[in-house]
């Protein structure tokens, strides 16, 4: 789903809440995913202006889970290392966004380059398939 | 989607705000402006923020809350967060959010009782 | 097709369907067996026969489904992935194929089913058709889910016991190390119980924790932070000298967290937090 106006952040949260619940995650895990999505969706809105959130249920052997991708063609993250280390600060900045989302999910992949946009993929796994 | 307007109520000598379940950014920032406006117009001891309906709390929401609390302190009041839900609390901890000097209460009742206590009451650092 | 049914031919020998009596019996069987929907398909997978059981399970009336390809029973993503075709291929190659998975009814609703697809060959080995026997397992899947969840709940209760020792005071006697999973369970269970009982203090007793490593310490601190977010507090009890030493050496920041070496000490603190005091009765 597209992320271009401020109200899309709420829409993103709702979509993830529904998808995560459907995938079988418990309330705490659903809240984690919703919060991570909120952080990453807001990043798109704030730094790239527009982007997209794509999600799907995934399977790997006995495990099954959810994968959410946040893609934009914004300015890209110049210093990814610094962004990942950034802790909670009172100043504006990527702040909690990336490291926060990383802590709340099982896997996170970031592909970015200055001027070339950003793609962030997060995954969270559940127990055995079908449960 | 329309943003909900939050209502700031005055109960005895305290302001109370009940946040909706999944507020938009606009609504969240409204919390700050409306609280300050209410504080300017009323003689109150502080603010009780009822989060019992809130389903998720991201860093933006959290930052707004801590900023609002700081402003309330500067204006001579105190802020108490009431009724945070377990999944939200657990996520907040994992996200690395800090309480700072904010006091917390299990529910609005407890919060009202706390405001009644002297200012020398407990604070979690 | 008129009212007479084409009865699946069983491996040649016993079931000869030439007598009207046997044909009638088979027809009765198909009509009355309701748990299994027995459908015959042509060699390309189009539905040739339909039974009341099939109608009950999948929602189609005979005239709505006969002639259609059996892939309509599968969810779109399975069809896109080529699943029905593969099943057909496998059946023709191996003679038999069994699969359990989501199927779709006429109204679009999903159900969990077990299907056995069998290639029907005459005594000369010529492929005559395909039999598909479906069983709706949704009910079983639901009860399996329920049992799994209940078991998990019981296990959680056993590994993270939370006891109410007084109005407003909970006790969690931790036994063993705290890995990520247990720490998760601990946080969820403790916070849930705190809100249920509106307790303001939780005594986290680590007498039964043999040793503290960085992970366990981190999880304890995380738990305490989460408890504070919801409006309660934790007193860490059972902190014996060796644990205290480890915590200091690990550089764990327990700033602001009240700790006591004994459970009794912790209970005293908890009572104090609730402004309660234990007074001995004097017999006069």
């Amino acid at each position: 789903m597209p992320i271009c106006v401020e109200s899309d952040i709420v829409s993103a949260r709702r979509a993830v809440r529904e998808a995560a619940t459907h995938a079988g995650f418990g309330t705490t895990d659903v809240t984690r995913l919703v919060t991570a999505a909120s952080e990453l969706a807001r990043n798109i809105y704030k730094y790239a202006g527009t982007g997209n959130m794509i999600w799907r249920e995934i399977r790997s052997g006995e495990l099954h889970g959810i994968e959410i991708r946040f893609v934009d063609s914004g300015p890209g993250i110049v210093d990814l290392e610094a962004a990942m280390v950034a802790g909670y600060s009172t100043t504006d900045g990527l702040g909690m966004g990336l490291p926060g989302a990383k802590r709340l999910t099982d896997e996170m992949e970031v592909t970015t380059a200055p001027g070339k946009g950003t793609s962030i993929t997060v995954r969270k796994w559940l127990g055995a398939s079908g449960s | 989607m329309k943003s909900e307007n939050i209502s700031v109520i005055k109960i005895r000598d305290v302001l109370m705000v009940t946040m909706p379940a999944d507020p938009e950014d606009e609504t969240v920032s409204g919390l700050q402006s409306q609280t300050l406006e209410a504080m300017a117009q009323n003689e109150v001891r502080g603010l009780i923020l009822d989060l019992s309906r809130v389903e998720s709390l991201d860093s933006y929401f959290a930052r707004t809350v801590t900023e609002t609390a700081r402003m309330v302190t500067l204006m001579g009041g105190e802020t108490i967060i009431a009724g945070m839900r377990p999944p939200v609390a657990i996520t907040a901890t994992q996200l690395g959010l800090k309480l700072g000097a904010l006091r917390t209460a299990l529910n609005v009742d407890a919060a009202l009782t706390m405001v009644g206590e002297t200012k020398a009451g407990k604070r979690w650092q | 097709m008129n009212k007479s049914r084409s009865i699946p031919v069983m491996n040649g020998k016993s079931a000869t369907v030439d007598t009207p009596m046997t044909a009638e019996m088979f027809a009765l069987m198909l009509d009355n067996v309701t748990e299994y929907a027995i459908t015959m398909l042509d060699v390309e997978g189009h539905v040739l026969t339909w039974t009341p059981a099939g109608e009950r399970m999948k929602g189609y009336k005979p005239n709505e489904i006969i002639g259609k390809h059996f892939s309509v029973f599968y969810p779109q993503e399975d069809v896109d992935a080529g699943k029905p075709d593969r099943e057909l291929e496998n059946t023709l190659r191996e003679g038999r194929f069994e699969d359990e998975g989501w199927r779709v009814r006429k109204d679009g609703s999903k159900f969990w089913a077990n299907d056995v697809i069998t290639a029907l060959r005459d005594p000369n080995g010529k492929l005559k058709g395909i039999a598909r026997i479906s069983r709706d397992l949704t009910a079983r899947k639901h009860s399996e889910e329920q049992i799994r969840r209940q078991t998990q709940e019981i296990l959680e209760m056993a590994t993270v016991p939370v006891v109410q020792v007084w109005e407003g005071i909970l006790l969690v006697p931790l036994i063993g190390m705290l890995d990520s999973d247990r720490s998760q369970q601990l946080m969820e269970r403790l916070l849930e119980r705190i809100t249920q009982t509106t307790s303001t203090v939780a005594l986290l007793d680590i007498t039964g924790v043999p040793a503290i490593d960085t992970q366990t310490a981190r999880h304890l601190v995380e738990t305490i932070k989460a408890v504070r977010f919801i409006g309660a507090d934790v007193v860490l009890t059972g902190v014996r000298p060796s644990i205290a030493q480890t915590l200091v050496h690990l550089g764990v920041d327990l700033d602001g967290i009240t700790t006591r070496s004994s459970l009794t000490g912790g209970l005293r603190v908890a009572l104090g937090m609730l402004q309660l005091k234990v007074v001995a009765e004097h017999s006069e």
Side-chain angles (χ1 to χ4, degrees), chain B residues 61-92:
Chain B
F61 197 156
R63 197 168 26 229
T64 310
V65 170
T66 42
E67 278 174 9
T68 309
R70 218 170 286 143
M71 291 176 195
V72 169
T73 311
L74 284 174
M75 289 176 81
E78 67 167 332
T79 309
I80 302 177
I81 293 187
M84 194 185 287
R85 295 188 179 177
V88 178
I90 296 173
T91 305

Side-chain angles (χ1 to χ4, degrees), chain B residues 84 86 89 93 97 99 104-106, chain C residues 198-199 222 226 228-231:
Chain B
M84 194 185 287
T93 314
L97 299 174
L99 262 179
T104 56
L106 281 175
Chain C
T198 44
S199 300
E222 244 180 37
R228 287 175 166 178
F229 266 119
I230 64 169

